[in-house]
Amino acid sequence: MRSLAGSLPMGAAGAGLLVGGALFFVGYRDLAAIAWSTGVAAVLAVLSVEIVTSLRRGEFGLDLVAALAMASALAIGETLAAAVVALMYAGGQALEFFAQGRASRDMNALLDRAPRTALRYGGSGLETVAVGEIAVGDRLLVRLGDVLPVDGCISGTALVDEAALTGESVPITRRDGEAAMSGSTNVGGAFDLLATETAARSTYAGIIRLVEEATRAQAPMTRLADRFALGFMLATLVLAGLAWWLSGDPVRAVAVLVVATPCPLILAVPVAIVAGISRAARVGVLVKGGAALETLGRVATLVIDKTGTLTEGSAAVSEIVPAAGFDADEVLRLAASLDQVSQHAVAKAVVAAATARGLRLDLPAEAREQAGEGVDGRVAGRRVRVGGKAYVASALPAGEGGDLRAAVRPGALVVAVAVDDRFAGLILMRDGLRPGVDAMLARLRGQGISRIVLATGDRDDVARAVTASLRLDAVAAGLAPGDKLALVQREKAAGVVMMVGDGVNDAPALVEADLGVAMGARGAAASAEAADVILLRDSLDGLGEAVAIARRSRRIALQSVGAGIGLSALGMVAAAAGFLPPVEGALVQEAIDVAVILNALRALGSGARQGTSTAAP
């Protein structure tokens, strides 16, 4: 079927129709019939090979109806009708390929942008190397207009365009030491990039693999078209047989077959689905194929992780509660000075908070870190201990350090500080909600998602405190990866479930859900591999828009199929009754096909009501 978009059958059908038409008008009707038959034979030869190949793979399609229409028209001498069907069918397939090509161009652009070479600093200066030769630690020169070949750290200041990756249209300034994603484009001055990943393991390579995966997948509605083909063909043959039997005219049977060629179902669905995938790619959402997009358009329940998904994923200092005799800034300054020796995320957040306040940090001495517990050492001659309350309290004299639990807010992460064997105070930290989360959840409800469940490994009080402002239907806390999977299984009993997560612990639930969505192209590799949809931006902003796109694409596909099949059925009845001769029937059917394909291409647009529409059918 796919090769019918090639130039040989299209050219043969067109040439046969034109030559035959010319011969017919100058009076050589027998030669005209031969010319028309020759063009049809070329299309039939290619189509027959495609049908045999499909049947050997166990696939059955409506191409067989087209072959029967052309062959039967030739058999009863309706060579002009056969030539019109051949040309229109080959042309319809070419139009489908054109439509799918247009719909796929946004995704193909990702593949086309992949850099092949890079400039690397070597012993003798700059050298041009293939991106596959870049190793971690190599220093690269990125010039104006270059696409970053690997993930790396910026040296100096860079202005990069990440639109191809995230959909963000405004260039972003990356400063010295900041991470930059491969696939970004340098739109400012030249800068150096220190490679932190090889090309094969970089963000852009991962996205390209996902894109290639997406282009190979087939939508459930497309598979439905294949299953529907046998029933449609049998109905067509029955109607054609009845028309012949009741009228005694085989031309009516041929006309029925001609009008049934081809079914709009196999044209409209793939075009609308691929258009929707392309549209989603523009807003930074990578959908792994038609099956995922079609499922996204039917989601009824959302199960969503908290840490790194609803929240930023990194704690920040929210409050300092000093003990009697201590100043809040001094408690933070001493704790941050000592925490400079630690690579723990909480320690880094304490240092960042002190730096943001402009506090002077001293270099610690005799520092010792106990993994997962805290740090002990000297700062400016004073003994300082920073960490969990139990870790700090274990080094204090009995009874030292009053009970400050009343000062601790629900949901806060607590860092205790002791100075010179005295309890100095608490640093409270929170992992805040991502900006706009409440609006995003409201938008998803507006798209027809009726149930939203939070699934987290955090304590119940922490989860409820952080998400108190959100409208959630249920909060499931203290979950291990297996518990998240079981939760998804329970929710699936009531409808189509979408699971959104970002960590390795979310991967089993992402696989179990009807649709798994992973956060960020640089999130956990296991989650990205398990998910059906990737949010290329480290943000939930695109999720609501992706659901709107999926529902709209699915609705357009169903509209196209309904209208196309309905019009085809009317045409077949008219042909059976003798009102549509074969030639006119072929022209009518191809007009229907063109109309449904053009309608399906509406899925490429944003839609006047997209983002505010209610659930699709």
Side-chain angles (χ1 to χ4, degrees):
M1 171 178 164
R2 296 303 179 190
S3 63
L4 279 175
S7 59
L8 178 60
M10 183 74 177
L17 192 61
L18 288 174
V19 172
L23 291 170
F24 181 86
F25 283 113
V26 296
Y28 295 101
R29 296 194 174 190
D30 291 341
L31 292 177
I34 293 173
W36 288 329
S37 299
T38 302
V40 174
V43 176
L44 267 176
V46 175
L47 182 54
S48 299
V49 172
E50 294 288 348
I51 290 172
V52 171
T53 302
S54 297
L55 290 175
R56 285 178 176 174
R57 292 197 302 262
E59 299 173 359
F60 187 91
L62 288 167
D63 299 319
L64 188 54
V65 178
L68 287 174
M70 284 182 265
S72 60
L74 289 179
I76 66 170
E78 288 283 347
T79 52
L80 177 57
V84 172
V85 171
L87 180 63
M88 291 299 184
Y89 186 71
Q93 295 300 316
L95 178 59
E96 180 191 358
F97 269 72
F98 168 77
Q100 289 187 345
R102 179 187 163 189
S104 302
R105 65 187 179 190
D106 292 293
M107 297 182 72
N108 290 335
L110 285 172
L111 306 178
D112 295 339
R113 292 179 68 259
R116 303 289 187 268
T117 61
L119 289 174
R120 182 176 64 186
Y121 289 97
S124 58
L126 286 171
E127 56 183 0
T128 300
V129 297
V131 293
E133 298 177 20
I134 299 173
V136 175
D138 284 351
R139 183 172 291 275
L140 311 173
L141 175 65
V142 182
R143 301 164 298 182
L144 174 64
D146 284 352
V147 175
L148 276 63
V150 295
D151 292 347
C153 286
I154 300 292
S155 179
T157 302
L159 185 65
V160 294
D161 180 358
E162 298 179 353
L165 301 175
T166 67
E168 176 58 59
S169 59
V170 179
I172 297 173
T173 299
R174 298 291 184 193
R175 306 193 184 281
D176 191 67
E178 286 191 35
M181 289 188 291
S182 56
S184 306
T185 302
N186 178 18
V187 293
F191 62 88
D192 288 351
L193 181 74
L194 185 65
T196 57
E197 289 285 2
T198 62
R201 294 178 57 85
S202 288
T203 300
Y204 198 55
I207 292 174
I208 287 176
R209 284 193 294 271
L210 295 175
V211 170
E212 291 171 338
E213 220 176 282
T215 59
R216 289 193 296 267
Q218 189 180 26
M221 285 193 292
T222 303
R223 293 195 294 269
L224 176 62
D226 294 335
R227 294 195 298 269
F228 181 76
L230 179 59
F232 182 83
M233 189 189 74
L234 291 175
T236 300
L237 292 176
V238 168
L239 183 59
L242 285 173
W244 190 353
W245 179 57
L246 293 175
S247 67
D249 185 2
V251 174
R252 291 194 184 187
V254 172
V256 171
L257 293 174
V258 165
V259 175
T261 309
C263 175
L265 182 61
I266 62 173
L267 297 175
V269 172
V271 171
I273 293 296
V274 174
I277 292 173
S278 173
R279 178 71 187 166
R282 293 186 199 174
V283 298
V285 179
L286 182 59
V287 181
K288 294 183 182 179
L293 188 84
E294 202 273 337
T295 304
L296 184 59
R298 298 185 296 112
V299 169
T301 299
L302 168 64
V303 177
I304 189 166
D305 176 50
K306 180 180 76 69
T307 305
T309 306
L310 280 180
T311 66
E312 297 284 1
S314 58
V317 174
S318 60
E319 188 178 355
I320 301 168
V321 184
F326 287 89
D327 175 73
D329 279 354
E330 184 64 8
V331 171
L332 179 60
R333 189 187 74 82
L334 291 172
S337 295
L338 182 60
D339 270 342
Q340 290 178 104
V341 303
S342 175
Q343 291 297 311
H344 194 280
V346 171
K348 291 181 178 180
V350 170
V351 173
T355 303
R357 293 192 183 198
L359 303 179
R360 178 183 56 81
L361 302 185
D362 296 317
L363 289 175
E366 303 174 16
R368 298 182 303 275
E369 181 174 11
Q370 186 170 333
E373 297 291 337
V375 187
D376 180 272
R378 289 190 175 276
V379 177
R382 307 183 72 179
R383 172 64 62 182
V384 179
R385 177 172 276 229
V386 181
K389 289 185 68 176
Y391 171 74
V392 172
S394 66
L396 296 177
E400 172 61 33
D403 186 1
L404 296 179
R405 283 179 296 180
V408 178
R409 311 293 183 262
L413 172 66
V414 178
V415 176
V417 183
V419 178
D420 292 333
D421 296 329
R422 291 181 58 197
F423 199 85
L426 300 176
I427 299 174
L428 307 185
M429 310 183 75
R430 285 184 179 274
D431 181 9
L433 291 173
R434 291 177 180 271
V437 162
D438 51 349
M440 184 275 298
L441 294 181
R443 183 178 187 185
L444 289 175
R445 288 192 186 275
Q447 293 296 336
I449 294 179
S450 58
R451 181 170 170 81
I452 300 178
V453 179
L454 176 69
T456 178
D458 282 348
R459 301 193 318 269
D460 185 72
D461 62 326
V462 173
R464 292 184 184 277
V466 172
T467 62
S469 63
L470 302 178
R471 181 187 162 198
L472 302 173
D473 296 290
V475 174
L479 302 182
D483 298 325
K484 288 187 178 181
L485 186 147
L487 172 66
V488 168
Q489 289 174 333
R490 291 195 299 272
E491 293 294 338
K492 284 173 67 176
V496 178
V497 174
M498 172 170 64
M499 168 71 188
V500 182
D502 77 322
V504 174
N505 62 327
D506 297 321
L510 291 173
V511 172
E512 178 62 28
D514 296 297
L515 187 84
V517 180
M519 288 289 301
R522 290 187 289 178
S527 293
E529 194 69 28
D532 305 294
V533 176
I534 308 292
L535 303 180
L536 297 181
R537 264 180 272 190
D538 195 25
S539 165
L540 287 169
D541 294 346
L543 185 58
E545 192 162 0
V547 172
I549 289 169
R551 291 189 184 277
R552 183 169 183 268
S553 298
R554 183 171 181 269
R555 184 168 60 248
I556 288 172
L558 291 173
Q559 288 171 350
S560 298
V561 167
I565 293 297
L567 291 172
S568 293
L570 291 175
M572 290 164 64
V573 171
F579 296 115
L580 270 182
V583 174
E584 287 83 347
L587 294 174
V588 167
Q589 179 56 57
E590 294 311 320
I592 294 172
D593 292 338
V594 170
V596 297
I597 291 175
L598 294 178
N599 181 67
L601 279 174
R602 291 193 299 116
L604 278 174
S606 59
R609 298 177 57 198
Q610 185 166 296
T612 59
S613 61
T614 57

